[in-house]
Amino acid sequence: MTSAVRTVKIAPSILSADFSRLGDEIRDALTGGADLLHLDVMDGHFVPNITFGPPVVKSIRSSTDAVLDCHLMITNPTQYVEAFCDAGADWVSVHVEAPDDIHEALAKIRAKGARPGVVVNPDTPLEKAEPYLDETGFVLVMSVFPGFGGQSFIGDVLDKVRGLKKLGYEGEIEIDGGIDPTTAPLAVEAGCDVLVAGSAVFGKDDRASAIRALREPRQA
Ligand code: DX5
Ligand code: ZN
């Protein structure tokens, strides 16, 4: 398990950052060892919270070459995915629960040269994602109900991570919600490749040490 923990990618979620000094926060996370930046987009319909849209992604893009991972918690992704790609998103994920044409959304992301992913909520069975797996480069497994940072990890979702492995899924598996130095090793052991962490990174003063604690929990 240790070597797997060492190679896992850490994706700090800026949802828990100080937005009044976002550029500094992002630099801090990247110099602290972040592998990609997780950008949580919420529309106030799909989830009961509102964050930001393409203009903010574009500003972030202009300040860094880091991989930008846009998690779209929105009702109508087909209408907006291209705008996020044009703003500079590298990875774009859409929820399978969205009442929209998910195949079309994934095709639009791919056509823009970005990496498409699907997201499954904690109470959504893996079967709902299966029709899309061949069209994705990653699957994002939610380990909290989306909308807010700082919630507790729902361990049952790791069965879906193991299920993806059993299906022979070859893309990356990302997990999001409640990841901290205690839950990170459980996620990695189940087969996750990318750990999203909001409060466990931006809620700490020393981001480098916080990221290290997620990557190598036993040595932090
Ligand atoms: C929740 C978001 C998460 C959130 C995670 O809807 O998708 O990315 O920022 O926050 P933590 O790591 O604090 O649970
Ligand atoms: Zn997220």
Side-chain angles (χ1 to χ4, degrees), residues 13 15-16 38 40 42 71 73 142 144-151 176-179 196-200:
S13 162
L15 190 60
S16 298
H38 185 80
D40 286 304
M42 306 185 188
H71 172 193
M73 287 160 272
M142 290 306 299
V144 298
F145 286 90
F148 301 92
Q151 303 181 73
D176 184 5
I179 294 293
V196 176
S199 40

Side-chain angles (χ1 to χ4, degrees), residues 18-199:
D18 177 350
F19 278 74
S20 72
R21 20 186 317 275
L22 191 53
D24 291 340
E25 294 280 73
I26 286 171
R27 271 186 292 281
D28 207 14
L30 291 170
T31 54
D35 298 286
L36 53 165
L37 288 173
H38 185 80
L39 310 183
D40 286 304
V41 174
M42 306 185 188
D43 68 353
H45 293 277
F46 186 76
V47 288
N49 198 2
I50 299 176
T51 55
F52 51 81
V56 171
V57 176
K58 192 173 175 191
S59 293
I60 295 172
R61 172 80 294 156
S62 69
S63 75
T64 177
D65 291 332
V67 172
L68 302 183
D69 166 30
C70 280
H71 172 193
L72 302 187
M73 287 160 272
I74 66 178
T75 301
N76 45 348
T78 54
Q79 193 179 335
Y80 291 105
V81 285
E82 287 163 319
F84 283 98
C85 294
D86 289 343
D90 299 291
W91 297 18
V92 180
S93 57
V94 298
H95 273 261
V96 299
E97 302 87 4
D100 202 355
D101 186 338
I102 302 303
H103 291 291
E104 187 184 343
L106 296 170
K108 283 182 167 178
I109 297 164
R110 190 173 291 285
K112 283 284 182 184
R115 191 176 196 204
V118 286
V119 194
V120 282
N121 276 339
D123 58 354
T124 299
L126 188 54
E127 292 71 48
K128 295 272 186 210
E130 283 183 33
Y132 310 111
L133 293 181
D134 288 347
E135 297 152 50
T136 64
F138 68 109
V139 172
L140 173 49
V141 175
M142 290 306 299
S143 40
V144 298
F145 286 90
F148 301 92
Q151 303 181 73
S152 299
F153 184 73
I154 301 170
D156 290 354
V157 306
L158 294 178
D159 284 342
K160 283 185 271 191
V161 175
R162 295 183 196 101
L164 282 164
K165 289 284 177 196
K166 271 201 198 108
L167 287 171
Y169 182 65
E170 288 181 350
E172 289 190 270
I173 304 175
E174 183 175 32
I175 192 158
D176 184 5
I179 294 293
D180 61 24
T182 305
T183 57
L186 307 176
V188 171
E189 191 156 62
C192 293
D193 306 291
V194 184
L195 308 181
V196 176
S199 40

